[in-house]
Amino acid sequence: MVAARDRALHNVGMSLHIRAACVEDAAAILTVLNPIIEARCHTVLDTPFTLAEERAFIEAFPECGVFHVAERGAEGEIVGFQDVEPFATYTHAFDHVGVIGTFVRLDCRRQGVGRALFDATFDAARDMGYEKLFTFIRSDNDAALSAYGSQGFREIGVASRHAKIDGVHIDEIMVEMFL
Ligand SMILES: CC(C)(COP(=O)(O)OP(=O)(O)OC[C@H]1O[C@@H](n2cnc3c(N)ncnc32)[C@H](O)[C@@H]1OP(=O)(O)O)[C@@H](O)C(=O)NCCC(=O)NCCS
């Protein structure tokens, strides 16, 4: 896990604090992630996670990855998280490439949480030696395409009918950016 990286900033009157995730965050992370999964229109994840699964995921998170949470307000309510994991572990050829994921609580979107996470994660990923970030975004996820585009990601291809959710095929847009 990346060393704690604390950042305080103020966006649209909302105080945000970005820090490294820890296993105690698992339940709060699921209050962000599971409703997004259940909505079935944002992500290719299709099955909500249990607390035990999320705790195990955080515990096993690679040392060379970045896992940030965004806390809001005096009580440190978690309103979003972002992670970067190595693109592959079967070769060192991709060691400079990270795969990024971003999730903001549905009722906290468009308030700068994503932007704050990207800022902190780009710095941490650079410090860890990543040179490039990559991910897939559902072609019907306009918000994510805009959010990643606003951060400098460019679309590099389409994996056609790559996902199938509730029997419907969905294209996946590949995006990349150089740090
Ligand atoms: C995609 C997501 C992470 C963006 O996070 P966010 O906190 O809402 O984004 P921000 O408020 O920081 O927005 C930053 C910029 O992204 C763009 N953007 C974000 N949401 C947008 C939307 N719905 N429509 C158009 N542009 C959007 C804008 O340029 C915005 O800047 P602006 O508000 O000053 O115009 C968030 O919508 C989310 O978690 N969605 C559900 C999960 C998901 O789709 N994750 C991505 C899976 S690949």
Side-chain angles (χ1 to χ4, degrees):
M1 177 101 32
V2 68
R5 169 177 298 268
D6 290 350
R7 237 170 226 241
L9 54 131
H10 298 272
N11 290 46
V12 221
M14 177 175 70
S15 101
L16 285 174
H17 180 228
I18 308 299
R19 63 163 173 80
C22 60
V23 74
E24 290 74 25
D25 296 325
I29 285 173
L30 289 185
T31 68
V32 175
L33 180 58
N34 281 344
I36 291 172
I37 294 173
E38 285 155 2
R40 303 189 81 72
C41 57
H42 306 288
T43 174
V44 296
L45 298 174
D46 69 340
T47 307
F49 292 96
T50 66
L51 183 58
E53 288 169 335
E54 186 60 25
R55 287 180 65 91
F57 176 80
I58 298 170
E59 277 169 348
F61 197 77
E63 286 287 327
C64 59
V66 180
F67 197 161
H68 281 151
V69 292
E71 294 180 319
R72 179 176 71 178
E75 292 178 4
E77 180 186 28
I78 289 182
V79 291
F81 67 94
Q82 187 167 55
D83 62 0
V84 172
E85 295 185 67
F87 178 79
T89 51
Y90 55 84
T91 171
H92 292 297
F94 300 129
D95 281 357
H96 62 296
V97 183
V99 178
I100 185 168
T102 314
F103 298 89
V104 172
R105 210 174 74 189
L106 289 172
D107 63 339
C108 298
R109 287 174 293 169
R110 209 71 194 265
Q111 297 172 29
V113 177
R115 183 181 295 114
L117 283 162
F118 279 117
D119 279 354
T121 296
F122 289 166
D123 283 353
R126 265 187 219 103
D127 288 351
M128 298 188 82
Y130 288 100
E131 297 171 23
K132 172 179 171 175
L133 298 178
F134 173 92
T135 198
F136 285 97
I137 299 173
R138 282 175 57 155
S139 61
D140 57 354
N141 190 345
D142 292 334
L145 289 167
S146 294
Y148 277 76
S150 75
Q151 295 296 322
F153 283 81
R154 69 184 185 103
E155 297 181 16
I156 54 170
V158 180
S160 300
R161 290 175 282 154
H162 202 63
K164 199 197 263 186
I165 302 279
D166 299 328
V168 177
H169 287 102
I170 302 157
D171 293 349
E172 287 261 90
I173 312 290
M174 288 176 271
V175 299
E176 69 176 13
M177 78 157 290
F178 291 91
L179 288 164

